[in-house]
Amino acid sequence: MSWQGSRSGLRTRFLRLCLLLILIALGRTFVPAQQGDDSPAPRVAVIVQQMVVRNKERSQQLGPYTSRRHYHIDYRGFPHAAEADMVVDVTRDGRSSESFQIVSQSGSHLLIDHVFTKLLETEKNALAKQADNELSPANYDFTLVGQEQIEGRQAYILHVEPKVSQPLLYRGKIWVDALDCAVVKVEAQPAKNPSFWIRGTEIHHVYGKVGNFWLPRSNRSETKVRLGGTAVLTIDYGSYHFLSSTASAQSE
């Protein structure tokens, strides 16, 4: 074998080794969309259809409940830093109505009046217009991109793209529990920027299983302001207390 041929062979093996290392690195950060070692995951249409059906079933079964939420916002930037806190008792009938009772509030009145108050109004409006913002093929396009374990449970990772730009819709990724067909995590951005003064918002939303239901556990939203500031909003949804014996039994 000539020296040139030997160098060519070494180069080929080196390139193959580099490619293998890249694939190994990608494999550690991204899990292909599959159910098991040799079983392909269901098609995205099947996952979405099951998610929509099961969400509807859970919504119909969910009875009234109460919870105590803790809202906190921390702003750093122009013209000065500010913080605010609010504790709210929430009562929901399980489907279409929700009431808020403010227990306490402290910190910046500007943040309380212009962030917390508007946030509670938005939550009420979102519940009243569920069909316009629900996670379904009517409002979103879905793409299956992978799967991973979350707290020991298998979850499918779907990219969601809103079909229209509305403030209550979002684009990003959702994690759907493979067994319960319920959303367990969301990482996304609003489909429509709510204000010129906002450069962008990153939303991190986590759900927890309470009995047979998956309910909000925590939310962290980081918003970049055009003037250079950053606002971080966190919501702790607290414990859920069901008001009917059936729901209480399901939550145990």
Side-chain angles (χ1 to χ4, degrees):
M1 180 182 295
S2 68
W3 171 243
Q4 292 294 333
S6 177
R7 290 185 60 186
S8 176
L10 288 173
R11 184 182 300 110
T12 300
R13 287 194 290 273
F14 177 73
L15 291 175
R16 287 176 179 173
L17 177 61
C18 290
L19 178 59
L20 177 61
L21 292 174
I22 291 172
L23 290 175
I24 292 173
L26 289 175
R28 291 179 178 177
T29 58
F30 177 81
V31 180
Q34 56 183 28
Q35 265 187 308
D37 294 336
D38 54 7
S39 300
R43 292 184 300 110
V44 63
V46 175
I47 298 173
V48 173
Q49 180 185 28
Q50 292 177 344
M51 179 187 69
V52 172
V53 170
R54 296 290 295 278
N55 282 346
K56 185 176 181 180
E57 291 175 352
R58 283 186 288 262
S59 177
Q60 292 172 343
Q61 296 169 1
L62 182 63
Y65 65 79
T66 63
S67 66
R68 174 164 289 189
R69 297 181 189 173
H70 295 256
Y71 297 79
H72 176 76
I73 187 167
D74 184 357
Y75 173 76
R76 294 290 180 268
F78 178 84
H80 56 76
E83 293 185 61
D85 290 272
M86 179 179 283
V87 178
V88 179
D89 280 342
V90 180
T91 301
R92 183 172 177 178
D93 72 358
R95 296 188 186 182
S96 59
S97 68
E98 197 170 44
S99 62
F100 301 90
Q101 179 66 44
I102 297 176
V103 177
S104 65
Q105 54 189 22
S106 60
S108 167
H109 290 287
L110 183 66
L111 294 177
I112 291 173
D113 294 339
H114 292 274
V115 177
F116 288 154
T117 301
K118 290 185 178 180
L119 180 59
L120 297 183
E121 291 177 357
T122 299
E123 290 190 49
K124 286 184 179 180
N125 293 334
L127 192 61
K129 300 179 179 179
Q130 294 184 64
D132 294 336
N133 55 71
E134 68 179 355
L135 196 59
S136 71
N139 297 319
Y140 290 93
D141 291 319
F142 299 85
T143 305
L144 180 62
V145 296
Q147 74 173 15
E148 69 177 13
Q149 294 275 339
I150 297 183
E151 297 183 359
R153 298 176 65 97
Q154 197 71 8
Y156 299 116
I157 308 171
L158 277 66
H159 176 79
V160 295
E161 186 69 25
K163 293 185 175 180
V164 294
S165 293
Q166 294 182 2
L168 294 179
L169 301 183
Y170 55 83
R171 60 172 45 87
K173 292 190 295 185
I174 63 172
W175 282 253
V176 179
D177 185 84
L179 183 61
D180 289 351
C181 302
V183 177
V184 298
K185 186 170 72 169
V186 176
E187 292 185 358
Q189 306 84 37
K192 183 178 181 180
N193 197 334
S195 171
F196 168 80
W197 301 105
I198 293 177
R199 288 195 292 115
T201 299
E202 295 289 336
I203 303 167
H204 304 272
H205 196 77
V206 177
Y207 293 81
K209 191 171 185 181
V210 184
N212 295 331
F213 307 104
W214 288 86
L215 301 173
R217 177 190 294 170
S218 64
N219 180 288
R220 185 182 187 278
S221 301
E222 182 173 327
T223 298
K224 300 293 185 180
V225 182
R226 290 191 184 277
L227 295 178
T230 300
V232 177
L233 169 70
T234 57
I235 306 173
D236 178 355
Y237 288 83
S239 300
Y240 292 88
H241 303 280
F242 292 98
L243 304 181
S244 68
S245 56
T246 301
S248 297
Q250 291 174 323
S251 68
E252 294 176 354

